[in-house]
Amino acid sequence: MDISFDEDMLGPDGADNRPAEPPNSLDLNGAHPQRKKLSAPEINLSLDQSEGSILSDDNLDTPDDLDINVDDLDTPDEADSLDFTGHGNELEWEEEQATKEDEPKEEAEPIPEYTAEEERQDARLWRTVVIGEQEHRIDMKSIEPYQKVISHGGYYGDGLNAIIVFAACFLPDSSQADYHYVMENLFLFVISTLELMVAEDYMIVYLNGATPRRKMPGLGWIKKCYQMIDRRLRKNLKSFIIVHPSWFIRTILAITRPFISSKFSSKIKYVNSLAELGELIPMEYVHIPESIIKVDKNVPQSKS
């Protein structure tokens, strides 16, 4: 590379020696001013770090006079930076919203309507009764399998003298987990049903046959029944007939004598067979379970 420089144009003192007016003719025979030629250093453009390469250590040295003051550099304002960040978050949030909108949404299951029929069914699951001027609630669902324990057996004599049949074979098994809960509700059911069935005088026929020991009601349950019976029901009870009595039921009644009146004790009668029962009351409307009929066939026909 040749670099020319007009030294003739400058004087020794550095003044400009060019003519005041430009020449109007070209001197072809005159002497031309001489120009000096400067030689440029050779530059190696290879990418290795050999001597003379632009990547050599000599060329990569940082000049000492290159002093950069960081404080003097122009940087974005804090407000501009926040604005930019805010716009970025806003765009990111919009992208997330669009993604969520594109995702399939699970449809919520509608709440089933509570129909009038279901309301009536639920009402039948609980019964509110008043016993001894106190309100009680009976869980009818829990005693549903045992409601046959008490039934109406028609009437006897003149008037509305009811025959109430209590079949102990329909009582729950004492080994089941919720036995006490069931017996509590069954007790309320028996007492409240008794009050509905009885209008005037009445008698109770207690069917004790075909009842295993584990289904026999306890002494506390029998005592509670007697104490909860309304005074009117105690007075109007004319007879308490026990069919197919066992030694266990005889023992229970003997133990309860101190808790009951002598008048009530005098109303208790023992009957060993259905035939004997038929001699005391009309059997037309008395429901006798099949299990008791089978037991009665094996019982000697004799009076106690």
Side-chain angles (χ1 to χ4, degrees), residues 134-190:
Q134 187 175 358
E135 188 176 279
H136 302 271
R137 294 194 70 195
I138 304 175
D139 184 356
M140 301 300 293
K141 186 67 175 178
S142 67
I143 64 172
E144 185 176 1
Y146 316 109
Q147 293 183 18
K148 292 181 180 180
V149 72
I150 186 171
S151 61
H152 200 294
Y155 300 93
Y156 70 97
D158 297 331
L160 299 176
N161 302 319
I163 300 174
I164 308 301
V165 180
F166 189 95
C169 60
F170 292 125
L171 287 172
D173 196 316
S174 59
S175 62
Q176 64 185 60
D178 56 348
Y179 175 75
H180 295 288
Y181 177 78
V182 173
M183 289 296 287
E184 180 71 20
N185 284 273
L186 191 59
F187 160 77
L188 297 173
F189 173 76
V190 170

Side-chain angles (χ1 to χ4, degrees), residues 39-278:
S39 60
E42 294 183 0
I43 299 176
N44 187 1
L45 297 180
S46 63
L47 297 181
D48 56 358
Q49 292 186 352
S50 59
E51 184 178 357
S53 172
I54 60 175
L55 295 181
S56 64
D57 295 337
D58 296 338
N59 293 328
L60 292 178
D61 289 342
T62 303
D64 296 336
D65 58 350
L66 184 60
D67 189 8
I68 300 175
N69 190 354
V70 179
D71 296 335
D72 295 338
L73 297 177
D74 292 335
T75 58
D77 294 338
E78 183 178 358
D80 296 339
S81 176
L82 291 177
D83 292 342
F84 178 78
T85 305
H87 291 306
N89 291 340
E90 193 173 287
L91 293 175
E92 183 178 350
W93 181 82
E94 290 178 357
E95 292 178 357
E96 291 179 356
Q97 287 293 110
T99 304
K100 291 181 179 179
E101 291 177 359
D102 295 338
E103 294 178 355
K105 297 181 179 180
E106 297 181 359
E107 296 183 0
E109 296 182 0
I111 300 176
E113 295 182 0
Y114 192 58
T115 63
E117 179 62 25
E118 291 175 341
E119 185 176 359
R120 285 192 295 269
Q121 290 179 359
D122 288 349
R124 286 194 291 267
L125 296 179
W126 292 89
R127 177 186 295 178
T128 303
V129 297
V130 178
I131 302 175
E133 298 181 357
Q134 187 175 358
E135 188 176 279
H136 302 271
R137 294 194 70 195
I138 304 175
D139 184 356
M140 301 300 293
K141 186 67 175 178
S142 67
I143 64 172
E144 185 176 1
Y146 316 109
Q147 293 183 18
K148 292 181 180 180
V149 72
I150 186 171
S151 61
H152 200 294
Y155 300 93
Y156 70 97
D158 297 331
L160 299 176
N161 302 319
I163 300 174
I164 308 301
V165 180
F166 189 95
C169 60
F170 292 125
L171 287 172
D173 196 316
S174 59
S175 62
Q176 64 185 60
D178 56 348
Y179 175 75
H180 295 288
Y181 177 78
V182 173
M183 289 296 287
E184 180 71 20
N185 284 273
L186 191 59
F187 160 77
L188 297 173
F189 173 76
V190 170
I191 298 299
S192 59
T193 304
L194 188 62
E195 292 183 350
L196 293 175
M197 290 181 175
V198 173
E200 298 179 2
D201 295 342
Y202 70 102
M203 69 167 55
I204 294 179
V205 176
Y206 184 90
L207 301 176
N208 186 68
T211 304
R213 174 75 176 274
R214 63 180 183 276
K215 287 191 174 183
M216 293 293 297
L219 178 60
W221 193 83
I222 296 176
K223 179 182 176 182
K224 188 176 182 181
C225 283
Y226 179 79
Q227 293 174 343
M228 290 291 291
I229 292 177
D230 186 76
R231 183 178 181 276
R232 177 184 68 86
L233 295 177
R234 294 182 189 178
K235 181 180 179 181
N236 293 346
L237 178 63
K238 299 305 178 181
S239 182
F240 190 89
I241 303 174
I242 301 176
V243 183
H244 301 134
S246 61
W247 66 268
F248 179 77
I249 193 67
R250 290 176 183 268
T251 303
I252 290 293
L253 291 176
I255 295 175
T256 57
R257 283 186 183 275
F259 306 105
I260 60 178
S261 64
S262 57
K263 289 183 178 180
F264 182 82
S265 298
S266 62
K267 297 175 182 180
I268 299 175
K269 296 180 180 180
Y270 296 104
V271 174
N272 293 323
S273 65
L274 295 177
E276 294 180 20
L277 180 65

